[in-house]
Amino acid sequence: MPAFLLHSLERQLARADITAQLGKTRFDPTGQIVIEDLRLSLPQFSEPVARIGSVYIQLDPWALLTRRFKADSMRASDLALYIPASLSGSGTREPLIEHAELALSTHAHQLDITQLSARIGGLNGLAISAKGSVDTRLLLRHAKPRGEAPLSVELFARYYPQLCQRLGELAQWTAGLSEARLDLDLAPSSTAGAVARLTLSGSGYEAPEEAALPFSLKRFRATTRIPLHSEEPSPAELSLELDSLALPLSALPLLTENASARAPALAERDIELVGLRAKLFGKIDTAQLRFSADTTEAELRALHFAGAAPLTAQNLSLRADFNAWPQLRASARLEVEATPLSLAATVDTADHSAVVNASGQLAPSLIALISEWTAADIGRFLTLRTPPDIDLEARFADGHFTALEGDFDAQAVLARGVTFDQIGGHVRLADGRFEAPLAYAAVGPNHARGSYSHNLATHDFRFLLSGQLDPLNIAAWFRPWWSEFWQKFNFPKNPPTASVDVQGRWGDPHYSRVFVYADVPNANINGAALHHVRTRIYVRPNYYDAMEVAVRYGAQSARGWFTRRNDPTTKQLARQDFDFTSTLDLERVGALSGPEVQAAIAPFHFAEPITLEAAGYVAAHGKRHLTLHGRTRGDFSLYDFPLNGLNFTATIDDDTLLVDSLSAGLAEGIVSGRVHLQGQGDSQTLGFDLSLAEGKFYRWTGILSQYFARRRGEDPPPNVEKNTNVTLALDLSAEGNPHDPLSFIGSGNMELKGRGLGQIHLFGLLSELLSFTSLNFNQLLTSFSVEREKLVFPEVNITGSNSAITASGHYAMDRGNLDFRARVNPFGESKFILKSIVGLMLTPVSNALEVRLTGPLDKPQWSFLHFSPNPDKRNGDTSEAAQLAPESAQPSEEIANPEEQASDAPASSPSPPANGPPPSAPPQEMPTVPPAN
């Protein structure tokens, strides 16, 4: 190279503060120079910063004529740039670019780069290619005058130390690049020198461990346009395409800070973004080589959340606003399990706080993720079979989840074993509590509105609901005691209208407490159909307190309260207290009250409902105490004995029933007194002390004959007694087995009175005779004893104005047969000739007619037994026992019925008695009179 050119080159480099060391040079007179092994140094660095294996320079021929060095173009091969030791991170000189190829040309103030290819060693072998033009005027405007140094030399000397410093800062962040490449396309700009279109691409990237977000990329491409020079940060747009981006959830401290204590596995999860296409709008500071994003728009093909609760989101679109950094505002739309969901978030990265809004549909898999995230096992209480509609807001503070609140509506939700057709309302999850202050739910025909609260630590809960509720539909929330109580209730048409307060602790039934107000138009309780039921009841395990119960069936009703306690071990009745007033029929009373009360009222049957007041208790082992007061005007029966018009007051103690005030209708009269029932089952004993006043005798005989016929299993006989003038007064005390009417033993007194007493059917054909005669009877007095199957009458006195009858005998209740002897003592006269004739035979005071009555009560038979001038001294025995002895102990002296004597029946020979001596003066015998018709 001519010396003048060498000196000119050295002077120009010196003006740019560059020192050159040249190896071999070749000069062509046409203006071409080839320099080999060219080394360039800057004064502030002790070692060369550039080495060029060979450089070809095309000189300006006009400058050459004036003996000046001015290059028109340059092409360098095997170019290497070094980071000085003072600027490198290691403290030693490090290669920045090696084996680079560079081709430049200049004209006027423009630098054209026709070729630049290199690898930046400090950036993990980042491949660089560049082309385009640079307007150097702006870039050199503030540089000190350097004479006529080449533009490329000027730019190199001015910006190389700054470039090394910035690239050194980037070195730690680019160490994870794989097969990375940076392409620059320069367009000259009078205001920026050039606008560079940068494209960074690669097969992967691993962020360093010290990075705030230790993420990794697979196959990426980033494109932006930036000015080479700007006094202020300038707007820029960054386009980003990623095959995938993965980062551990632990890289997001806002979500995972302090999460290890709640869910240790949460920080080990990975998030993967697949198919990301994003645009970042912001500003770039070319002096600091820094990009600050203002907003971001992104689309994501899929987002995978790996771990124990895997989740995949698809078709995600995102917009983020960084203008208020460190606050970030973002909105997103995505699909999870083909379910759309919209998100909006405000994040403060400085204090690790955030507010996240979610609206749309919540996929079931998100419930599992939220459960793990909040350390609240929501899936333990809720299983979503279809995505619910949600509008929720989640809050975070200092890296902690603090609250979740909003509205939701879901269908086909399984909550603790109960499937809801629909459930929703306003919910809040905060401070360890889940609350739904405005909730609604539907299960089949059941529907309710109210509130729910749940302590997530203790699992204490409370429902407050109003609507139509069938308690059995939520039986899965309780232990068997709930079903055992409510299975007695059946609602055939609609669930009851109810208000419910349910509180307790999930998993521990001992804490369960239930208040229920129910109003039911139609219900069936223990098999008793009711038209209307209203109740307020408090329920806890083995305890039921019905503070108010009101039921109605037609015109019948009942009102009162009860409490029931069950034995915790056996689940059977321990004690039930109650107080009721009822006009229900006894069948419904028993069904509603339970088996203990059913047993107490079983002996009673009422033709129409009874007004009943009952209070007391029943308890285990047959213990009970009840006070009863009842009244009815209709017919009823006690142990099948017919009565009517009952009014009573009774007390039941254990197995003892005491009716100490009884008034009832019997045989058109009034029976009153006391009844005492003791024992159980076949060993029961019934005692009573009763009085009947003003009863009709014809009704009394009909009732008795029909009652005992039914007990014998026979058809009831017709009541043939027609004399309605005879009244009955009866006192009776007896005791026996209520299930066996032939077991009673007791005594009583009876009085019959009234006109026509002698015509009662009891005397059969004798009644006709007595009425045919002048005998008149108007009163019957007797005492009797009850000896199991017999009613024994030791003396019966029948008197009238002109006659008297004395009788004795018994009535066999098991066979329905009479066996009586009667003495007729007539006196007085009759003007009727036929009666006078007969009366003449009967009127002597010293004479007596003795008659025997046998056979059934409805068809008795009679016969004359004795006709003697001195009946009181018959057979020499003057005792009353001998006079009234039964037939088996006395001779039988029978006289034929006058009506039979008029017939063609022949007289028979005397018939000796079955036992005893024959009569001393047997009279003439006559045939036995047949039963009266």
Side-chain angles (χ1 to χ4, degrees), residues 85-124:
S86 60
L87 298 179
S88 71
S90 63
T92 62
R93 190 179 73 156
E94 296 178 355
L96 177 61
I97 293 177
E98 294 180 310
H99 310 297
E101 299 293 327
L102 176 64
L104 304 173
S105 64
T106 61
H107 57 276
H109 299 286
Q110 183 168 302
L111 175 65
D112 297 324
I113 302 174
T114 57
Q115 180 187 4
L116 172 61
S117 60
R119 288 191 177 274
I120 303 178
L123 300 183
N124 198 32

Side-chain angles (χ1 to χ4, degrees), residues 262-263 370-377 456:
R262 304 190 306 267
I370 295 174
S371 294
E372 186 175 21
W373 193 5
T374 60
D377 189 3
L456 299 177

